[in-house]
């Protein structure tokens, strides 16, 4: 997960720094235009380009920009995935993917904003925000676990 990075770090993650910066700037302008504070934090989630793990559909779905939501969840900041659409009427869209703290599991997760679901990716490092986490995240793969849960996340 990247919150700020050098051009070399972005390339290491397979991110075009110019394109990523332009997209983040557009999203930030639209968020501010929609009433979000100018200091709204944004995080970029990406799988490591040099990872030994095989390419995953789950990682593809989680990658992207997440904006900080106005309200906290379980006493910590939470972030929702946001993206640019092709619509002039609604140029900004959000998915149901959030980065949030799970109090019951004592971990950061990426998935639905709910304590009932484990999430698609987790990090057990207890830091005040996900931007401070410096340990690797573990990815849940439904095929590997042979679980067919609604929404694709592991049930509690």
């Amino acid at each position: 997960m990247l919150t700020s990075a050098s051009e070399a770090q972005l390339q290491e993650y397979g991110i075009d720094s110019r394109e990523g910066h332009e997209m983040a700037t557009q999203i930030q302008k639209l968020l501010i235009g929609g009433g979000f504070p100018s200091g709204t934090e944004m995080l970029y989630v990406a799988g490591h380009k040099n990872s030994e793990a095989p390419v995953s559909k789950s990682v593809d779905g989680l990658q992207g920009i997440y904006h900080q939501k106005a309200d906290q969840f379980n006493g910590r900041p939470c972030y929702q995935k946001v993206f640019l659409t092709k619509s002039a009427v609604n140029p900004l869209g959000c998915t149901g993917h959030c980065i949030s703290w799970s109090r019951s599991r004592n971990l950061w997760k990426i998935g639905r904003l709910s304590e009932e679901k484990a999430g698609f990716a987790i990090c057990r490092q207890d830091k005040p925000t996900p931007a401070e986490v410096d340990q690797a995240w573990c990815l849940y793969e439904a095929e590997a676990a042979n679980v067919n849960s609604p929404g694709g996340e592991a049930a509690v």
Side-chain angles (χ1 to χ4, degrees):
M1 180 178 309
L2 300 173
T3 53
S4 64
S6 68
E7 188 166 336
Q9 287 172 309
L10 291 171
Q11 288 175 353
E12 185 178 324
Y13 279 80
I15 301 165
D16 178 329
S17 61
R18 188 186 78 244
E19 182 180 310
H21 181 72
E22 288 172 6
M23 182 174 29
T25 300
Q26 276 186 286
I27 288 173
Q28 187 174 41
K29 285 180 183 177
L30 289 166
L31 287 170
I32 292 168
F36 281 82
S38 61
T40 298
E41 186 176 19
M42 295 192 314
L43 305 177
Y44 190 87
V45 172
H48 197 284
K49 183 172 110 176
N50 296 325
S51 172
E52 293 179 14
V55 175
S56 162
K57 291 179 186 175
S58 296
V59 170
D60 288 344
L62 300 179
Q63 291 184 128
I65 295 174
Y66 290 71
H67 74 87
Q68 186 173 0
K69 294 176 61 96
D71 296 326
Q72 292 191 338
F73 185 75
N74 286 331
R76 302 205 191 184
C78 64
Y79 304 78
Q80 185 170 18
K81 186 174 179 186
V82 63
F83 60 93
L84 296 171
T85 71
K86 296 184 187 319
S87 168
V89 177
N90 296 311
L92 205 54
C94 291
T95 71
H97 292 126
C98 292
I99 303 171
S100 63
W101 178 255
S102 173
R103 184 176 289 143
S104 65
R105 292 176 177 79
N106 200 37
L107 54 78
W108 285 101
K109 68 175 195 156
I110 303 176
R112 300 284 176 218
L113 191 59
S114 165
E115 281 288 347
E116 280 99 42
K117 298 287 185 177
F120 294 108
I122 63 166
C123 181
R124 296 192 182 277
Q125 190 175 24
D126 187 353
K127 296 284 187 172
T129 71
E132 297 174 59
V133 166
D134 58 8
Q135 291 180 355
W137 288 66
C138 298
L139 184 66
Y140 169 77
E141 291 286 354
E143 295 83 25
N146 198 18
V147 175
N148 293 316
S149 149
E153 295 175 83
V156 185

